Amino acid sequence: MSLMKSWVDSANSAETPFPLNNLPYGVFSTLYSEPHCGVAIGDLILDVTALEEKGVIRIDDTNVFDAGSWNAFMQLGAEVWEDFRFALQQLLSEDVIADAKASVIPHLVKQEEATMHMPFAVSEYTDFYAGKNHAFNVGTMFRGPENALPPNWLHIPIGYNGRASSVVVSGSDVRRPWGQLKGPNDEMPRFAPCARFDLELEMGAIVGQPSEGPITVGEADQNIFGYVLLNDWSARDIQAWEYQPLGPFQAKATATTISPWIVTAAALEPFRTSTPEREKELLPYLTEPKPGLYDIELEVTLAPEGKAETTIARTNYSQMYYSAAQQLAHHTTSGCAMTVGDLLGSGTISGPTKPERGSLLELSWGGKEPLTLDTGEERSFLEDGDTLTLKGAAKGDGYQIGFGNCTGTVLPALDDPYKR
């Protein structure tokens, strides 16, 4: 597929993340409006809530977009998703009739004048551990290469239930957490601010249709509405003390940052690619009817306070061992009901070489090999004032499908919250 031309000039550049091929969904506000649902096109936002109020677009004679989130729209299902996307592309196409164009122009807002909000209400959040390179690297650090992967890892998508309440939109500051820590030479644990705060480069899949009981991988794929970039902020020292025997808890509860735009599964369809060849044959219920991953180039930058950013990692979503559809299908095997607005984190995305590692834990090899930034400073883990930015795009013929940056800045820990 090549670039689809729009009458919005800024959407016709090979450099824009938001061509007519994309049309991602977000929620924005301006000085003159409350949060509205919007669609990114070039350097503008099409105010979908306003279009609905004016009757330019209608879906089943209901006010789907007046709640300031995309949940109600997701609830309507795949046929409505497809029809709405087609209608938007018609309105924004270079071939649109003059009257239709005139009805849209008053409802375009400059992105630079907008404040972005959470694009959907997160119902529940599950984070997976489905990147083999990451799992192998972390396991090697703690158990050696012979025992790096747990015995179940090549058979099952491993995950844990996270905190939906801590998912925030790009641009939100992240406060360094306090927690219970215990070093290998400490006799007793202590309560202190996290000293090994980290990022995790992930993709997030958004469930757009509910399910009751087990569903197939094919059904799960159809139920995924879209994708976001996701940073699973991680307190490594808190995690090291708490994770046995039940896995991550408070170490992962500080914040999870997502990019502001939901890129639909439909926009990513041309970029499908297969999961890797299996080292162990998966059980039949995890069989994929078609390629389950996407060719999405990913990048992580780190900028110390007041200084230029350094690219610290580049990798690709195609490095995952399990697809989002496999993760979702497995999630339902127990009879667990999935709901509209559920968020599934992919797990850290790392490639096979050091520059492709999606966390500082890996890049600095547990702090033993500090990373040198372009500023000359070193990082083993995040320092106060550091700004982390995740970037991602699927590259097509003369166009790209982008997500908008996923950014957060680390704030200093609070004074002792229990000191009275």
Side-chain angles (χ1 to χ4, degrees), residues 276-301:
E277 196 171 322
R278 302 297 172 184
E279 296 182 31
K280 304 284 186 179
E281 185 177 356
L282 297 178
L283 294 179
Y285 80 93
L286 287 173
T287 300
E288 293 181 296
K290 60 181 179 180
L293 294 177
Y294 300 98
D295 179 5
I296 302 172
E297 297 179 13
L298 301 167
E299 179 181 357
V300 181
T301 69

mmCIF file with all atom_site columns, all heavy atoms in Angstrom, residues 276-301:
data_model
loop_
_atom_site.group_PDB
_atom_site.id
_atom_site.type_symbol
_atom_site.label_atom_id
_atom_site.label_alt_id
_atom_site.label_comp_id
_atom_site.label_asym_id
_atom_site.label_entity_id
_atom_site.label_seq_id
_atom_site.pdbx_PDB_ins_code
_atom_site.Cartn_x
_atom_site.Cartn_y
_atom_site.Cartn_z
_atom_site.occupancy
_atom_site.B_iso_or_equiv
_atom_site.pdbx_formal_charge
_atom_site.auth_seq_id
_atom_site.auth_comp_id
_atom_site.auth_asym_id
_atom_site.auth_atom_id
_atom_site.pdbx_PDB_model_num
ATOM 1   N N   . PRO A 1 276 ? 8.202  -15.706 15.709 1.00 0.00 ? 276 PRO A N   1
ATOM 2   C CA  . PRO A 1 276 ? 9.390  -16.494 15.334 1.00 0.00 ? 276 PRO A CA  1
ATOM 3   C C   . PRO A 1 276 ? 9.116  -17.997 15.303 1.00 0.00 ? 276 PRO A C   1
ATOM 4   O O   . PRO A 1 276 ? 8.117  -18.482 15.843 1.00 0.00 ? 276 PRO A O   1
ATOM 5   C CB  . PRO A 1 276 ? 10.399 -16.135 16.426 1.00 0.00 ? 276 PRO A CB  1
ATOM 6   C CG  . PRO A 1 276 ? 9.562  -15.717 17.586 1.00 0.00 ? 276 PRO A CG  1
ATOM 7   C CD  . PRO A 1 276 ? 8.359  -15.058 17.011 1.00 0.00 ? 276 PRO A CD  1
ATOM 8   N N   . GLU A 1 277 ? 10.025 -18.705 14.697 1.00 0.00 ? 277 GLU A N   1
ATOM 9   C CA  . GLU A 1 277 ? 9.959  -20.165 14.693 1.00 0.00 ? 277 GLU A CA  1
ATOM 10  C C   . GLU A 1 277 ? 10.041 -20.660 16.128 1.00 0.00 ? 277 GLU A C   1
ATOM 11  O O   . GLU A 1 277 ? 10.847 -20.173 16.930 1.00 0.00 ? 277 GLU A O   1
ATOM 12  C CB  . GLU A 1 277 ? 11.125 -20.714 13.870 1.00 0.00 ? 277 GLU A CB  1
ATOM 13  C CG  . GLU A 1 277 ? 10.975 -22.159 13.462 1.00 0.00 ? 277 GLU A CG  1
ATOM 14  C CD  . GLU A 1 277 ? 12.045 -22.584 12.472 1.00 0.00 ? 277 GLU A CD  1
ATOM 15  O OE1 . GLU A 1 277 ? 12.400 -21.769 11.597 1.00 0.00 ? 277 GLU A OE1 1
ATOM 16  O OE2 . GLU A 1 277 ? 12.527 -23.722 12.593 1.00 0.00 ? 277 GLU A OE2 1
ATOM 17  N N   . ARG A 1 278 ? 9.224  -21.640 16.463 1.00 0.00 ? 278 ARG A N   1
ATOM 18  C CA  . ARG A 1 278 ? 9.122  -22.095 17.850 1.00 0.00 ? 278 ARG A CA  1
ATOM 19  C C   . ARG A 1 278 ? 10.218 -23.101 18.201 1.00 0.00 ? 278 ARG A C   1
ATOM 20  O O   . ARG A 1 278 ? 10.498 -24.030 17.428 1.00 0.00 ? 278 ARG A O   1
ATOM 21  C CB  . ARG A 1 278 ? 7.751  -22.740 18.080 1.00 0.00 ? 278 ARG A CB  1
ATOM 22  C CG  . ARG A 1 278 ? 6.588  -21.807 17.770 1.00 0.00 ? 278 ARG A CG  1
ATOM 23  C CD  . ARG A 1 278 ? 6.602  -20.603 18.678 1.00 0.00 ? 278 ARG A CD  1
ATOM 24  N NE  . ARG A 1 278 ? 5.614  -19.616 18.259 1.00 0.00 ? 278 ARG A NE  1
ATOM 25  C CZ  . ARG A 1 278 ? 5.474  -18.434 18.827 1.00 0.00 ? 278 ARG A CZ  1
ATOM 26  N NH1 . ARG A 1 278 ? 6.279  -18.079 19.817 1.00 0.00 ? 278 ARG A NH1 1
ATOM 27  N NH2 . ARG A 1 278 ? 4.567  -17.588 18.402 1.00 0.00 ? 278 ARG A NH2 1
ATOM 28  N N   . GLU A 1 279 ? 10.809 -22.924 19.361 1.00 0.00 ? 279 GLU A N   1
ATOM 29  C CA  . GLU A 1 279 ? 11.767 -23.900 19.846 1.00 0.00 ? 279 GLU A CA  1
ATOM 30  C C   . GLU A 1 279 ? 11.053 -25.116 20.418 1.00 0.00 ? 279 GLU A C   1
ATOM 31  O O   . GLU A 1 279 ? 11.565 -26.232 20.395 1.00 0.00 ? 279 GLU A O   1
ATOM 32  C CB  . GLU A 1 279 ? 12.660 -23.266 20.910 1.00 0.00 ? 279 GLU A CB  1
ATOM 33  C CG  . GLU A 1 279 ? 13.520 -22.139 20.363 1.00 0.00 ? 279 GLU A CG  1
ATOM 34  C CD  . GLU A 1 279 ? 14.440 -21.560 21.406 1.00 0.00 ? 279 GLU A CD  1
ATOM 35  O OE1 . GLU A 1 279 ? 14.865 -22.317 22.304 1.00 0.00 ? 279 GLU A OE1 1
ATOM 36  O OE2 . GLU A 1 279 ? 14.745 -20.358 21.333 1.00 0.00 ? 279 GLU A OE2 1
ATOM 37  N N   . LYS A 1 280 ? 9.865  -24.876 20.974 1.00 0.00 ? 280 LYS A N   1
ATOM 38  C CA  . LYS A 1 280 ? 8.990  -25.935 21.468 1.00 0.00 ? 280 LYS A CA  1
ATOM 39  C C   . LYS A 1 280 ? 7.628  -25.740 20.814 1.00 0.00 ? 280 LYS A C   1
ATOM 40  O O   . LYS A 1 280 ? 7.120  -24.621 20.761 1.00 0.00 ? 280 LYS A O   1
ATOM 41  C CB  . LYS A 1 280 ? 8.829  -25.865 22.991 1.00 0.00 ? 280 LYS A CB  1
ATOM 42  C CG  . LYS A 1 280 ? 10.119 -25.910 23.775 1.00 0.00 ? 280 LYS A CG  1
ATOM 43  C CD  . LYS A 1 280 ? 10.692 -27.309 23.841 1.00 0.00 ? 280 LYS A CD  1
ATOM 44  C CE  . LYS A 1 280 ? 11.912 -27.362 24.763 1.00 0.00 ? 280 LYS A CE  1
ATOM 45  N NZ  . LYS A 1 280 ? 12.479 -28.727 24.858 1.00 0.00 ? 280 LYS A NZ  1
ATOM 46  N N   . GLU A 1 281 ? 7.031  -26.801 20.332 1.00 0.00 ? 281 GLU A N   1
ATOM 47  C CA  . GLU A 1 281 ? 5.728  -26.680 19.691 1.00 0.00 ? 281 GLU A CA  1
ATOM 48  C C   . GLU A 1 281 ? 4.691  -26.214 20.710 1.00 0.00 ? 281 GLU A C   1
ATOM 49  O O   . GLU A 1 281 ? 4.590  -26.761 21.814 1.00 0.00 ? 281 GLU A O   1
ATOM 50  C CB  . GLU A 1 281 ? 5.313  -28.019 19.085 1.00 0.00 ? 281 GLU A CB  1
ATOM 51  C CG  . GLU A 1 281 ? 4.025  -27.944 18.297 1.00 0.00 ? 281 GLU A CG  1
ATOM 52  C CD  . GLU A 1 281 ? 3.670  -29.260 17.642 1.00 0.00 ? 281 GLU A CD  1
ATOM 53  O OE1 . GLU A 1 281 ? 4.475  -30.214 17.754 1.00 0.00 ? 281 GLU A OE1 1
ATOM 54  O OE2 . GLU A 1 281 ? 2.591  -29.341 17.017 1.00 0.00 ? 281 GLU A OE2 1
ATOM 55  N N   . LEU A 1 282 ? 3.923  -25.189 20.321 1.00 0.00 ? 282 LEU A N   1
ATOM 56  C CA  . LEU A 1 282 ? 2.886  -24.675 21.212 1.00 0.00 ? 282 LEU A CA  1
ATOM 57  C C   . LEU A 1 282 ? 1.672  -25.593 21.189 1.00 0.00 ? 282 LEU A C   1
ATOM 58  O O   . LEU A 1 282 ? 1.418  -26.298 20.208 1.00 0.00 ? 282 LEU A O   1
ATOM 59  C CB  . LEU A 1 282 ? 2.474  -23.262 20.786 1.00 0.00 ? 282 LEU A CB  1
ATOM 60  C CG  . LEU A 1 282 ? 3.548  -22.186 20.852 1.00 0.00 ? 282 LEU A CG  1
ATOM 61  C CD1 . LEU A 1 282 ? 2.990  -20.855 20.359 1.00 0.00 ? 282 LEU A CD1 1
ATOM 62  C CD2 . LEU A 1 282 ? 4.096  -22.037 22.264 1.00 0.00 ? 282 LEU A CD2 1
ATOM 63  N N   . LEU A 1 283 ? 0.912  -25.574 22.273 1.00 0.00 ? 283 LEU A N   1
ATOM 64  C CA  . LEU A 1 283 ? -0.333 -26.336 22.306 1.00 0.00 ? 283 LEU A CA  1
ATOM 65  C C   . LEU A 1 283 ? -1.293 -25.778 21.257 1.00 0.00 ? 283 LEU A C   1
ATOM 66  O O   . LEU A 1 283 ? -1.246 -24.585 20.920 1.00 0.00 ? 283 LEU A O   1
ATOM 67  C CB  . LEU A 1 283 ? -0.946 -26.271 23.697 1.00 0.00 ? 283 LEU A CB  1
ATOM 68  C CG  . LEU A 1 283 ? -0.138 -26.951 24.808 1.00 0.00 ? 283 LEU A CG  1
ATOM 69  C CD1 . LEU A 1 283 ? -0.841 -26.790 26.153 1.00 0.00 ? 283 LEU A CD1 1
ATOM 70  C CD2 . LEU A 1 283 ? 0.097  -28.420 24.501 1.00 0.00 ? 283 LEU A CD2 1
ATOM 71  N N   . PRO A 1 284 ? -2.184 -26.622 20.733 1.00 0.00 ? 284 PRO A N   1
ATOM 72  C CA  . PRO A 1 284 ? -3.027 -26.206 19.600 1.00 0.00 ? 284 PRO A CA  1
ATOM 73  C C   . PRO A 1 284 ? -3.838 -24.935 19.825 1.00 0.00 ? 284 PRO A C   1
ATOM 74  O O   . PRO A 1 284 ? -4.072 -24.172 18.884 1.00 0.00 ? 284 PRO A O   1
ATOM 75  C CB  . PRO A 1 284 ? -3.940 -27.416 19.388 1.00 0.00 ? 284 PRO A CB  1
ATOM 76  C CG  . PRO A 1 284 ? -3.131 -28.583 19.879 1.00 0.00 ? 284 PRO A CG  1
ATOM 77  C CD  . PRO A 1 284 ? -2.358 -28.056 21.049 1.00 0.00 ? 284 PRO A CD  1
ATOM 78  N N   . TYR A 1 285 ? -4.276 -24.671 21.069 1.00 0.00 ? 285 TYR A N   1
ATOM 79  C CA  . TYR A 1 285 ? -5.120 -23.495 21.299 1.00 0.00 ? 285 TYR A CA  1
ATOM 80  C C   . TYR A 1 285 ? -4.377 -22.182 21.060 1.00 0.00 ? 285 TYR A C   1
ATOM 81  O O   . TYR A 1 285 ? -5.000 -21.130 20.910 1.00 0.00 ? 285 TYR A O   1
ATOM 82  C CB  . TYR A 1 285 ? -5.719 -23.525 22.714 1.00 0.00 ? 285 TYR A CB  1
ATOM 83  C CG  . TYR A 1 285 ? -4.795 -23.078 23.817 1.00 0.00 ? 285 TYR A CG  1
ATOM 84  C CD1 . TYR A 1 285 ? -4.772 -21.747 24.255 1.00 0.00 ? 285 TYR A CD1 1
ATOM 85  C CD2 . TYR A 1 285 ? -3.944 -23.975 24.450 1.00 0.00 ? 285 TYR A CD2 1
ATOM 86  C CE1 . TYR A 1 285 ? -3.933 -21.340 25.276 1.00 0.00 ? 285 TYR A CE1 1
ATOM 87  C CE2 . TYR A 1 285 ? -3.103 -23.581 25.477 1.00 0.00 ? 285 TYR A CE2 1
ATOM 88  C CZ  . TYR A 1 285 ? -3.103 -22.260 25.883 1.00 0.00 ? 285 TYR A CZ  1
ATOM 89  O OH  . TYR A 1 285 ? -2.268 -21.851 26.899 1.00 0.00 ? 285 TYR A OH  1
ATOM 90  N N   . LEU A 1 286 ? -3.037 -22.215 20.989 1.00 0.00 ? 286 LEU A N   1
ATOM 91  C CA  . LEU A 1 286 ? -2.247 -21.011 20.733 1.00 0.00 ? 286 LEU A CA  1
ATOM 92  C C   . LEU A 1 286 ? -1.843 -20.865 19.264 1.00 0.00 ? 286 LEU A C   1
ATOM 93  O O   . LEU A 1 286 ? -1.092 -19.954 18.910 1.00 0.00 ? 286 LEU A O   1
ATOM 94  C CB  . LEU A 1 286 ? -0.992 -21.008 21.614 1.00 0.00 ? 286 LEU A CB  1
ATOM 95  C CG  . LEU A 1 286 ? -1.227 -20.731 23.111 1.00 0.00 ? 286 LEU A CG  1
ATOM 96  C CD1 . LEU A 1 286 ? 0.053  -20.924 23.900 1.00 0.00 ? 286 LEU A CD1 1
ATOM 97  C CD2 . LEU A 1 286 ? -1.780 -19.327 23.333 1.00 0.00 ? 286 LEU A CD2 1
ATOM 98  N N   . THR A 1 287 ? -2.372 -21.734 18.405 1.00 0.00 ? 287 THR A N   1
ATOM 99  C CA  . THR A 1 287 ? -2.040 -21.667 16.978 1.00 0.00 ? 287 THR A CA  1
ATOM 100 C C   . THR A 1 287 ? -2.599 -20.386 16.366 1.00 0.00 ? 287 THR A C   1
ATOM 101 O O   . THR A 1 287 ? -3.757 -20.031 16.579 1.00 0.00 ? 287 THR A O   1
ATOM 102 C CB  . THR A 1 287 ? -2.629 -22.875 16.232 1.00 0.00 ? 287 THR A CB  1
ATOM 103 O OG1 . THR A 1 287 ? -2.074 -24.067 16.784 1.00 0.00 ? 287 THR A OG1 1
ATOM 104 C CG2 . THR A 1 287 ? -2.298 -22.800 14.739 1.00 0.00 ? 287 THR A CG2 1
ATOM 105 N N   . GLU A 1 288 ? -1.764 -19.712 15.573 1.00 0.00 ? 288 GLU A N   1
ATOM 106 C CA  . GLU A 1 288 ? -2.172 -18.473 14.913 1.00 0.00 ? 288 GLU A CA  1
ATOM 107 C C   . GLU A 1 288 ? -2.701 -18.759 13.509 1.00 0.00 ? 288 GLU A C   1
ATOM 108 O O   . GLU A 1 288 ? -2.021 -19.416 12.716 1.00 0.00 ? 288 GLU A O   1
ATOM 109 C CB  . GLU A 1 288 ? -0.992 -17.506 14.810 1.00 0.00 ? 288 GLU A CB  1
ATOM 110 C CG  . GLU A 1 288 ? -0.501 -16.982 16.137 1.00 0.00 ? 288 GLU A CG  1
ATOM 111 C CD  . GLU A 1 288 ? 0.651  -16.019 15.961 1.00 0.00 ? 288 GLU A CD  1
ATOM 112 O OE1 . GLU A 1 288 ? 1.709  -16.452 15.479 1.00 0.00 ? 288 GLU A OE1 1
ATOM 113 O OE2 . GLU A 1 288 ? 0.496  -14.834 16.304 1.00 0.00 ? 288 GLU A OE2 1
ATOM 114 N N   . PRO A 1 289 ? -3.901 -18.262 13.184 1.00 0.00 ? 289 PRO A N   1
ATOM 115 C CA  . PRO A 1 289 ? -4.416 -18.465 11.830 1.00 0.00 ? 289 PRO A CA  1
ATOM 116 C C   . PRO A 1 289 ? -3.731 -17.587 10.788 1.00 0.00 ? 289 PRO A C   1
ATOM 117 O O   . PRO A 1 289 ? -3.815 -17.858 9.593  1.00 0.00 ? 289 PRO A O   1
ATOM 118 C CB  . PRO A 1 289 ? -5.896 -18.101 11.963 1.00 0.00 ? 289 PRO A CB  1
ATOM 119 C CG  . PRO A 1 289 ? -5.945 -17.133 13.100 1.00 0.00 ? 289 PRO A CG  1
ATOM 120 C CD  . PRO A 1 289 ? -4.868 -17.583 14.058 1.00 0.00 ? 289 PRO A CD  1
ATOM 121 N N   . LYS A 1 290 ? -3.070 -16.513 11.229 1.00 0.00 ? 290 LYS A N   1
ATOM 122 C CA  . LYS A 1 290 ? -2.328 -15.644 10.323 1.00 0.00 ? 290 LYS A CA  1
ATOM 123 C C   . LYS A 1 290 ? -1.240 -14.946 11.133 1.00 0.00 ? 290 LYS A C   1
ATOM 124 O O   . LYS A 1 290 ? -1.260 -14.987 12.374 1.00 0.00 ? 290 LYS A O   1
ATOM 125 C CB  . LYS A 1 290 ? -3.244 -14.620 9.664  1.00 0.00 ? 290 LYS A CB  1
ATOM 126 C CG  . LYS A 1 290 ? -3.969 -13.677 10.618 1.00 0.00 ? 290 LYS A CG  1
ATOM 127 C CD  . LYS A 1 290 ? -4.867 -12.726 9.823  1.00 0.00 ? 290 LYS A CD  1
ATOM 128 C CE  . LYS A 1 290 ? -5.632 -11.787 10.732 1.00 0.00 ? 290 LYS A CE  1
ATOM 129 N NZ  . LYS A 1 290 ? -6.502 -10.872 9.947  1.00 0.00 ? 290 LYS A NZ  1
ATOM 130 N N   . PRO A 1 291 ? -0.270 -14.303 10.455 1.00 0.00 ? 291 PRO A N   1
ATOM 131 C CA  . PRO A 1 291 ? 0.805  -13.636 11.208 1.00 0.00 ? 291 PRO A CA  1
ATOM 132 C C   . PRO A 1 291 ? 0.264  -12.684 12.267 1.00 0.00 ? 291 PRO A C   1
ATOM 133 O O   . PRO A 1 291 ? -0.634 -11.886 11.992 1.00 0.00 ? 291 PRO A O   1
ATOM 134 C CB  . PRO A 1 291 ? 1.571  -12.884 10.111 1.00 0.00 ? 291 PRO A CB  1
ATOM 135 C CG  . PRO A 1 291 ? 1.331  -13.685 8.878  1.00 0.00 ? 291 PRO A CG  1
ATOM 136 C CD  . PRO A 1 291 ? -0.075 -14.194 9.002  1.00 0.00 ? 291 PRO A CD  1
ATOM 137 N N   . GLY A 1 292 ? 0.816  -12.762 13.483 1.00 0.00 ? 292 GLY A N   1
ATOM 138 C CA  . GLY A 1 292 ? 0.228  -12.044 14.609 1.00 0.00 ? 292 GLY A CA  1
ATOM 139 C C   . GLY A 1 292 ? 0.972  -10.814 15.074 1.00 0.00 ? 292 GLY A C   1
ATOM 140 O O   . GLY A 1 292 ? 0.453  -10.066 15.913 1.00 0.00 ? 292 GLY A O   1
ATOM 141 N N   . LEU A 1 293 ? 2.181  -10.597 14.571 1.00 0.00 ? 293 LEU A N   1
ATOM 142 C CA  . LEU A 1 293 ? 2.944  -9.421  14.980 1.00 0.00 ? 293 LEU A CA  1
ATOM 143 C C   . LEU A 1 293 ? 2.897  -8.359  13.885 1.00 0.00 ? 293 LEU A C   1
ATOM 144 O O   . LEU A 1 293 ? 2.324  -8.560  12.820 1.00 0.00 ? 293 LEU A O   1
ATOM 145 C CB  . LEU A 1 293 ? 4.390  -9.814  15.277 1.00 0.00 ? 293 LEU A CB  1
ATOM 146 C CG  . LEU A 1 293 ? 4.618  -10.738 16.473 1.00 0.00 ? 293 LEU A CG  1
ATOM 147 C CD1 . LEU A 1 293 ? 6.083  -11.107 16.592 1.00 0.00 ? 293 LEU A CD1 1
ATOM 148 C CD2 . LEU A 1 293 ? 4.112  -10.104 17.770 1.00 0.00 ? 293 LEU A CD2 1
ATOM 149 N N   . TYR A 1 294 ? 3.529  -7.203  14.163 1.00 0.00 ? 294 TYR A N   1
ATOM 150 C CA  . TYR A 1 294 ? 3.607  -6.114  13.196 1.00 0.00 ? 294 TYR A CA  1
ATOM 151 C C   . TYR A 1 294 ? 5.045  -5.611  13.122 1.00 0.00 ? 294 TYR A C   1
ATOM 152 O O   . TYR A 1 294 ? 5.765  -5.606  14.127 1.00 0.00 ? 294 TYR A O   1
ATOM 153 C CB  . TYR A 1 294 ? 2.687  -4.959  13.590 1.00 0.00 ? 294 TYR A CB  1
ATOM 154 C CG  . TYR A 1 294 ? 1.239  -5.338  13.684 1.00 0.00 ? 294 TYR A CG  1
ATOM 155 C CD1 . TYR A 1 294 ? 0.657  -5.633  14.910 1.00 0.00 ? 294 TYR A CD1 1
ATOM 156 C CD2 . TYR A 1 294 ? 0.438  -5.411  12.545 1.00 0.00 ? 294 TYR A CD2 1
ATOM 157 C CE1 . TYR A 1 294 ? -0.680 -5.990  15.003 1.00 0.00 ? 294 TYR A CE1 1
ATOM 158 C CE2 . TYR A 1 294 ? -0.900 -5.758  12.631 1.00 0.00 ? 294 TYR A CE2 1
ATOM 159 C CZ  . TYR A 1 294 ? -1.455 -6.045  13.861 1.00 0.00 ? 294 TYR A CZ  1
ATOM 160 O OH  . TYR A 1 294 ? -2.781 -6.402  13.949 1.00 0.00 ? 294 TYR A OH  1
ATOM 161 N N   . ASP A 1 295 ? 5.432  -5.179  11.924 1.00 0.00 ? 295 ASP A N   1
ATOM 162 C CA  . ASP A 1 295 ? 6.760  -4.611  11.701 1.00 0.00 ? 295 ASP A CA  1
ATOM 163 C C   . ASP A 1 295 ? 6.713  -3.137  12.101 1.00 0.00 ? 295 ASP A C   1
ATOM 164 O O   . ASP A 1 295 ? 6.394  -2.272  11.300 1.00 0.00 ? 295 ASP A O   1
ATOM 165 C CB  . ASP A 1 295 ? 7.130  -4.776  10.228 1.00 0.00 ? 295 ASP A CB  1
ATOM 166 C CG  . ASP A 1 295 ? 8.500  -4.192  9.888  1.00 0.00 ? 295 ASP A CG  1
ATOM 167 O OD1 . ASP A 1 295 ? 9.207  -3.748  10.816 1.00 0.00 ? 295 ASP A OD1 1
ATOM 168 O OD2 . ASP A 1 295 ? 8.843  -4.163  8.697  1.00 0.00 ? 295 ASP A OD2 1
ATOM 169 N N   . ILE A 1 296 ? 7.016  -2.870  13.371 1.00 0.00 ? 296 ILE A N   1
ATOM 170 C CA  . ILE A 1 296 ? 6.976  -1.509  13.919 1.00 0.00 ? 296 ILE A CA  1
ATOM 171 C C   . ILE A 1 296 ? 8.358  -1.181  14.484 1.00 0.00 ? 296 ILE A C   1
ATOM 172 O O   . ILE A 1 296 ? 8.819  -1.830  15.430 1.00 0.00 ? 296 ILE A O   1
ATOM 173 C CB  . ILE A 1 296 ? 5.911  -1.373  15.022 1.00 0.00 ? 296 ILE A CB  1
ATOM 174 C CG1 . ILE A 1 296 ? 4.528  -1.744  14.476 1.00 0.00 ? 296 ILE A CG1 1
ATOM 175 C CG2 . ILE A 1 296 ? 5.910  0.046   15.589 1.00 0.00 ? 296 ILE A CG2 1
ATOM 176 C CD1 . ILE A 1 296 ? 3.450  -1.816  15.554 1.00 0.00 ? 296 ILE A CD1 1
ATOM 177 N N   . GLU A 1 297 ? 9.018  -0.200  13.882 1.00 0.00 ? 297 GLU A N   1
ATOM 178 C CA  . GLU A 1 297 ? 10.330 0.222   14.366 1.00 0.00 ? 297 GLU A CA  1
ATOM 179 C C   . GLU A 1 297 ? 10.159 1.050   15.644 1.00 0.00 ? 297 GLU A C   1
ATOM 180 O O   . GLU A 1 297 ? 9.314  1.949   15.705 1.00 0.00 ? 297 GLU A O   1
ATOM 181 C CB  . GLU A 1 297 ? 11.047 1.031   13.293 1.00 0.00 ? 297 GLU A CB  1
ATOM 182 C CG  . GLU A 1 297 ? 11.344 0.233   12.038 1.00 0.00 ? 297 GLU A CG  1
ATOM 183 C CD  . GLU A 1 297 ? 12.031 1.044   10.963 1.00 0.00 ? 297 GLU A CD  1
ATOM 184 O OE1 . GLU A 1 297 ? 12.509 2.163   11.275 1.00 0.00 ? 297 GLU A OE1 1
ATOM 185 O OE2 . GLU A 1 297 ? 12.099 0.567   9.810  1.00 0.00 ? 297 GLU A OE2 1
ATOM 186 N N   . LEU A 1 298 ? 10.967 0.747   16.642 1.00 0.00 ? 298 LEU A N   1
ATOM 187 C CA  . LEU A 1 298 ? 10.847 1.368   17.963 1.00 0.00 ? 298 LEU A CA  1
ATOM 188 C C   . LEU A 1 298 ? 12.168 1.996   18.390 1.00 0.00 ? 298 LEU A C   1
ATOM 189 O O   . LEU A 1 298 ? 13.244 1.508   18.035 1.00 0.00 ? 298 LEU A O   1
ATOM 190 C CB  . LEU A 1 298 ? 10.418 0.321   18.997 1.00 0.00 ? 298 LEU A CB  1
ATOM 191 C CG  . LEU A 1 298 ? 9.075  -0.385  18.730 1.00 0.00 ? 298 LEU A CG  1
ATOM 192 C CD1 . LEU A 1 298 ? 8.917  -1.596  19.619 1.00 0.00 ? 298 LEU A CD1 1
ATOM 193 C CD2 . LEU A 1 298 ? 7.918  0.591   18.920 1.00 0.00 ? 298 LEU A CD2 1
ATOM 194 N N   . GLU A 1 299 ? 12.058 3.058   19.177 1.00 0.00 ? 299 GLU A N   1
ATOM 195 C CA  . GLU A 1 299 ? 13.241 3.792   19.633 1.00 0.00 ? 299 GLU A CA  1
ATOM 196 C C   . GLU A 1 299 ? 12.988 4.320   21.035 1.00 0.00 ? 299 GLU A C   1
ATOM 197 O O   . GLU A 1 299 ? 11.861 4.691   21.384 1.00 0.00 ? 299 GLU A O   1
ATOM 198 C CB  . GLU A 1 299 ? 13.531 4.948   18.680 1.00 0.00 ? 299 GLU A CB  1
ATOM 199 C CG  . GLU A 1 299 ? 14.732 5.807   19.046 1.00 0.00 ? 299 GLU A CG  1
ATOM 200 C CD  . GLU A 1 299 ? 14.941 6.960   18.073 1.00 0.00 ? 299 GLU A CD  1
ATOM 201 O OE1 . GLU A 1 299 ? 14.193 7.059   17.086 1.00 0.00 ? 299 GLU A OE1 1
ATOM 202 O OE2 . GLU A 1 299 ? 15.853 7.775   18.326 1.00 0.00 ? 299 GLU A OE2 1
ATOM 203 N N   . VAL A 1 300 ? 14.042 4.370   21.844 1.00 0.00 ? 300 VAL A N   1
ATOM 204 C CA  . VAL A 1 300 ? 13.978 4.953   23.190 1.00 0.00 ? 300 VAL A CA  1
ATOM 205 C C   . VAL A 1 300 ? 15.036 6.042   23.298 1.00 0.00 ? 300 VAL A C   1
ATOM 206 O O   . VAL A 1 300 ? 16.196 5.817   22.943 1.00 0.00 ? 300 VAL A O   1
ATOM 207 C CB  . VAL A 1 300 ? 14.241 3.900   24.287 1.00 0.00 ? 300 VAL A CB  1
ATOM 208 C CG1 . VAL A 1 300 ? 14.128 4.543   25.673 1.00 0.00 ? 300 VAL A CG1 1
ATOM 209 C CG2 . VAL A 1 300 ? 13.294 2.723   24.166 1.00 0.00 ? 300 VAL A CG2 1
ATOM 210 N N   . THR A 1 301 ? 14.639 7.211   23.782 1.00 0.00 ? 301 THR A N   1
ATOM 211 C CA  . THR A 1 301 ? 15.605 8.278   24.045 1.00 0.00 ? 301 THR A CA  1
ATOM 212 C C   . THR A 1 301 ? 15.558 8.666   25.519 1.00 0.00 ? 301 THR A C   1
ATOM 213 O O   . THR A 1 301 ? 14.516 8.533   26.176 1.00 0.00 ? 301 THR A O   1
ATOM 214 C CB  . THR A 1 301 ? 15.358 9.532   23.184 1.00 0.00 ? 301 THR A CB  1
ATOM 215 O OG1 . THR A 1 301 ? 14.146 10.168  23.601 1.00 0.00 ? 301 THR A OG1 1
ATOM 216 C CG2 . THR A 1 301 ? 15.280 9.171   21.717 1.00 0.00 ? 301 THR A CG2 1
#
